[in-house]
C-alpha cells in the first residue's frame, strides 16, 4: 500500500479546501492599497498580506517609467520629476504576469502668485554682501496639481528698469539646460540672477510713476509659458532716482 497519502479522506478534503480558500482569499484582496504624490515622487503602497514580485509604472505613451522590486518592500517610490503629463498605469506583477492595475492622471497646475524686487521679500536667501540683491527679482510660483513641474526660464518685461532681454540667458535665475522643480501641491520662490529692478535701461521708469510689467515662466513638463501682469509703483524714495525710488509691486487683477 502507498503510505505517502496520510489522513482520512475527510481530513484530506478539508486540507485541500482550506488551501484553496486561502489562495482565493489572497487573490480577492486588493494589492495596490494607495497611490499618491509626495514632492517629486509617486508613492505606491501594496497590501502587505498579498505577495507580489514587482510594481511597474507606465507613462501615457505606454513606456516603462518605473520598476520596483516588491518581494520584500511594501512601498515603491518613483521619481516623476520628468514625467509625461497624462494617464499613468501602475501594475502589480507576480510570476511575470500582471495581477492588478490602477491608473492615475498626473498633471501639474502652475500659477504665478507674486513677483517683485528683493526688497519686497528680504527673507529669501539673498546674497546680501552687496546691495545689488535689493534690485534682483523673484517670482513665487504655486503648483496646485498632483504632479511636480520644472521651471526652465523666467523673464521680466515691460515697466521694469531692466527688462530681461533673453529668457534663455543664464542670467534669468536658472542655469541653461537646467530647471527648478516645484513639487505637487507646493509653492516655491525662484530668485533671478538678472537684475530687473536695477541697471536702468527703460527710460519710462522714474520716481512717481506707475508702470505695468509682465512676468513669464516657461514650464518643462507641460512645455508651455505662463504669464502674469503686475503694477510697479515707483515712489519718491530717499535715494538717487530712479534706483532710489521706493518700489511697491501689486498684482494687476
Amino acid at each position: 500500500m502507498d503510505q505517502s497519502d496520510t489522513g482520512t479522506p475527510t481530513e484530506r478534503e478539508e486540507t485541500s479546501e482550506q488551501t484553496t480558500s486561502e489562495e482565493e482569499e489572497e487573490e480577492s484582496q486588493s494589492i495596490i492599497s494607495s497611490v499618491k504624490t509626495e514632492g517629486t515622487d509617486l508613492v505606491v503602497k501594496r497590501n502587505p498580506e498579498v505577495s507580489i514580485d514587482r510594481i511597474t509604472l507606465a507613462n501615457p505613451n505606454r513606456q516603462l517609467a518605473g520598476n520596483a522590486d516588491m518581494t520584500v518592500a511594501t512601498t515603491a517610490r518613483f521619481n516623476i520629476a520628468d514625467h509625461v503629463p497624462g494617464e499613468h498605469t501602475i501594475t502589480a506583477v507576480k510570476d511575470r504576469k500582471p495581477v492588478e492595475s490602477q491608473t492615475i492622471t498626473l498633471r501639474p497646475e502652475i500659477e504665478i502668485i507674486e513677483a517683485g524686487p528683493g526688497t519686497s521679500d528680504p527673507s529669501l536667501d539673498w546674497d546680501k554682501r552687496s546691495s545689488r540683491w535689493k534690485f534682483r527679482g523673484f517670482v513665487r510660483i504655486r503648483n496646485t496639481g498632483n504632479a511636480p513641474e520644472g521651471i526652465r526660464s523666467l523673464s521680466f518685461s515691460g515697466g521694469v528698469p531692466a527688462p530681461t532681454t533673453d529668457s534663455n540667458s543664464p542670467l534669468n535665475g536658472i542655469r541653461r539646460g537646467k530647471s527648478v522643480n516645484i513639487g505637487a501641491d507646493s509653492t516655491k520662490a525662484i530668485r533671478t540672477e538678472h537684475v530687473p529692478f536695477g541697471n536702468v535701461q527703460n527710460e519710462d521708469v522714474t520716481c512717481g510713476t506707475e508702470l505695468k510689467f509682465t512676468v513669464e515662466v516657461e514650464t518643462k513638463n507641460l512645455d508651455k509659458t505662463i504669464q502674469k501682469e503686475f503694477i510697479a509703483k515707483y515712489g519718491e524714495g530717499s535715494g538717487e532716482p530712479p534706483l532710489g525710488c521706493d518700489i511697491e509691486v501689486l498684482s494687476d487683477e
Side-chain angles (χ1 to χ4, degrees):
M1 294 179 62
D2 184 357
Q3 300 298 320
S4 62
D5 191 8
T6 61
T8 66
T10 302
E11 290 173 341
R12 289 197 298 271
E13 288 173 5
E14 289 177 349
T15 301
S16 177
E17 290 175 357
Q18 183 178 0
T19 302
T20 302
S21 177
E22 290 174 352
E23 290 174 351
E24 290 176 349
E25 182 180 354
E26 180 170 317
E27 289 177 359
S28 67
Q29 289 180 305
S30 176
I31 298 172
I32 301 172
S33 59
S34 72
V35 179
K36 62 180 180 179
T37 50
E38 293 181 0
T40 58
D41 288 346
L42 180 68
V43 182
V44 182
K45 293 187 177 182
R46 73 167 176 87
N47 184 341
E49 302 300 322
V50 182
S51 62
I52 58 173
D53 298 329
R54 59 188 60 256
I55 288 178
T56 63
L57 175 68
N59 67 21
N61 300 326
R62 297 185 178 180
Q63 297 171 328
L64 184 66
N67 190 354
D69 185 344
M70 303 300 290
T71 53
V72 176
T74 57
T75 300
R77 302 185 75 95
F78 301 105
N79 187 310
I80 54 171
D82 298 322
H83 70 100
V84 178
E87 187 176 85
H88 288 62
T89 303
I90 302 153
T91 303
V93 178
K94 185 174 183 178
D95 297 329
R96 299 185 179 182
K97 295 180 181 179
V99 290
E100 184 176 296
S101 291
Q102 287 190 21
T103 60
I104 181 173
T105 298
L106 297 175
R107 188 172 185 84
E109 295 292 341
I110 297 297
E111 61 178 332
I112 300 168
I113 58 175
E114 186 181 2
T119 51
S120 292
D121 193 343
S123 66
L124 293 178
D125 188 23
W126 302 104
D127 182 353
K128 296 182 180 180
R129 289 174 294 182
S130 166
S131 61
R132 188 177 176 86
W133 70 272
K134 298 178 180 179
F135 308 110
R136 297 192 190 280
F138 76 92
V139 180
R140 186 167 276 109
I141 301 170
R142 177 186 294 140
N143 180 5
T144 59
N146 69 341
E149 179 58 293
I151 304 301
R152 290 194 291 204
S153 69
L154 54 86
S155 63
F156 289 72
S157 61
V160 292
T164 309
T165 56
D166 179 7
S167 63
N168 291 317
S169 166
L171 296 179
N172 68 6
I174 303 172
R175 291 183 179 180
R176 190 184 300 276
K178 302 292 183 179
S179 62
V180 175
N181 284 322
I182 302 177
D185 192 26
S186 64
T187 302
K188 179 175 287 189
I190 302 176
R191 295 172 290 115
T192 68
E193 290 302 317
H194 175 60
V195 188
F197 295 93
N199 302 331
V200 180
Q201 301 164 21
N202 186 345
E203 295 180 355
D204 293 333
V205 179
T206 58
C207 294
T209 59
E210 291 186 11
L211 298 173
K212 287 186 179 182
F213 69 91
T214 301
V215 171
E216 180 178 285
V217 299
E218 181 183 2
T219 63
K220 180 180 180 181
N221 299 321
L222 292 173
D223 193 24
K224 68 176 184 179
T225 57
I226 298 169
Q227 296 182 340
K228 186 177 178 66
E229 287 193 334
F230 294 88
I231 297 175
K233 294 184 177 183
Y234 297 97
E236 293 303 324
S238 56
E240 182 179 348
L243 295 185
C245 306
D246 292 330
I247 305 174
E248 180 184 8
V249 175
L250 305 173
S251 174
D252 184 27
E253 290 184 347

